[in-house]
Amino acid sequence: MTFDEIRAWLVETTPEKLEKLWLSADSLRHDTVGDEVYLRGLVEISNICRRNCLYCGIRAGNPKPQRYRMSAAEMVETALLAKKLGYGTVVLQSGEDGSVPAEEIAGIIGQIKRETNLAVTLSLGEREEEDYVTWFKAGANRYLLRFETSNETLYQTIHPPVSRGRDSGSRIELLKTLRKIGYEIGSGVMAGIPGQTWDDLARDIALFAELDLDMIGCGPFLPHPDTPLGQDRGAGDVSPRREVPNDQVILDEHLPFKVIALARLVCPAANIPTTTAIATLDPVHGRLLGLSRGANVVMPNLTPARYRKMYEIYPHKAASGETPEETHELAVRQILELGRTVGQGAGNRLAFTAKHGSKPAP
Ligand code: 5AD
């Protein structure tokens, strides 16, 4: 698929044409990764963050969230719950908490592997290469690191560098390093960031293919009132303070699904979640529509109820008032409602490519 084709789909508004996009993504999903929907148990292990990303509610500069870090015992306990509920993967996600030594995290990864044998996905932000190596050796299998936008200037603006520790440089380079170490790599972007143009978003999607991502997680940008980007309405904002490009991406009801569908078309065998941000934008239909338009993964939040509200990266985050069991039951019910099945085992990308090849669709 060429850049021009991707861009044309992004701005397409004709319902009959969009129906075609949904159908081709869904049928490709069926042919490559099948009808199994894989569950990844998401555990938000800490909301402590040293960064000041302009979009994110747990940015260091926001004094409002009460900060927490789950204990090793709580993390292992949650992984055991994921195992008990039938999950093949547990995802440990946190703010960029640079103060936790890599060895400490490696110890927890090792314990989770020994006690559950689940696939372990990490989403802990930017660290030194040696830390990633330590965690891989401890048994971690996959790493999620969204590049957020392929527009270098916009990226630097919304994700200001830090003075100490690893400084981003390029997350795209980091993803290549992670793959070289042996991880399956996942990345993605937010759609509708103020300052993001249609060209930018089309380039983002082309980059998914170029990086040959194993996992692609995308969602709408949701303004958080306690962040600099939440001070205006983002898309369509006319405030004189921030310049809005003429071809600013406009978030509408179709956009998140266009991104999912196009991600499927450019990376046929990738694992693609219908994300929490999508479920937050449309709590009733969001998740189901994602699964019907290219996605094959759901990441139910298994974070203990007492911590959930503190991990407010954007407002009204789906499932923030639920218990892990409730979140899990809803996910399974929705999957079965669609006539799909719950995937068994780890659901590695490699297993899909081995069966179907990794060539992008013509
Ligand atoms: N709206 C939507 N997505 C957000 N993220 C962070 N803040 C927001 C927001 N306000 C996404 C980023 C990050 C992921 C964990 O959550 O893409 O990588």
Side-chain angles (χ1 to χ4, degrees), residues 20-101:
K20 273 195 194 155
L21 177 62
W22 311 145
L23 285 178
S24 54
D26 194 46
S27 93
L28 186 59
R29 185 272 309 153
H30 170 85
D31 293 347
T32 51
V33 297
D35 282 341
E36 290 89 9
V37 176
Y38 286 88
L39 296 175
R40 320 294 200 200
L42 179 64
V43 196
E44 294 156 340
I45 60 172
S46 165
N47 68 350
I48 297 171
C49 192
R50 66 195 181 113
R51 303 210 77 116
N52 256 317
C53 303
L54 270 57
Y55 45 88
C56 184
I58 63 168
R59 66 201 302 272
N62 183 7
K64 287 198 184 162
Q66 190 190 331
R67 302 288 167 168
Y68 73 92
R69 187 184 292 141
M70 285 172 64
S71 69
E74 286 174 319
M75 292 183 216
V76 175
E77 198 183 306
T78 311
L80 284 166
L81 172 67
K83 173 90 175 173
K84 189 177 115 200
L85 294 173
Y87 289 55
T89 300
V90 69
V91 183
L92 306 182
Q93 183 165 83
S94 73
E96 209 171 285
D97 185 354
S99 68
V100 182

Side-chain angles (χ1 to χ4, degrees), residues 53-58 93-94 123 144-148 171 188-191 193 217-224 227 229-230 277 311-315:
C53 303
L54 270 57
Y55 45 88
C56 184
I58 63 168
Q93 183 165 83
S94 73
S123 178
L144 302 178
L145 186 71
R146 290 190 181 177
F147 61 80
E148 314 293 3
R171 282 193 174 185
V189 296
M190 290 175 286
I193 310 167
C218 296
F221 163 71
L222 302 169
H224 190 304
T227 64
L229 287 189
Y311 205 91
E312 201 199 46
I313 51 181
Y314 43 78

Side-chain angles (χ1 to χ4, degrees), residues 22 24 111 136 186 196 208 227 232 275 282-283 285 293 315:
W22 311 145
S24 54
Q111 199 183 342
F136 188 75
Q196 181 186 49
F208 298 163
T227 64
D232 48 36
T275 56
D282 180 350
H285 306 105
R293 296 171 173 178

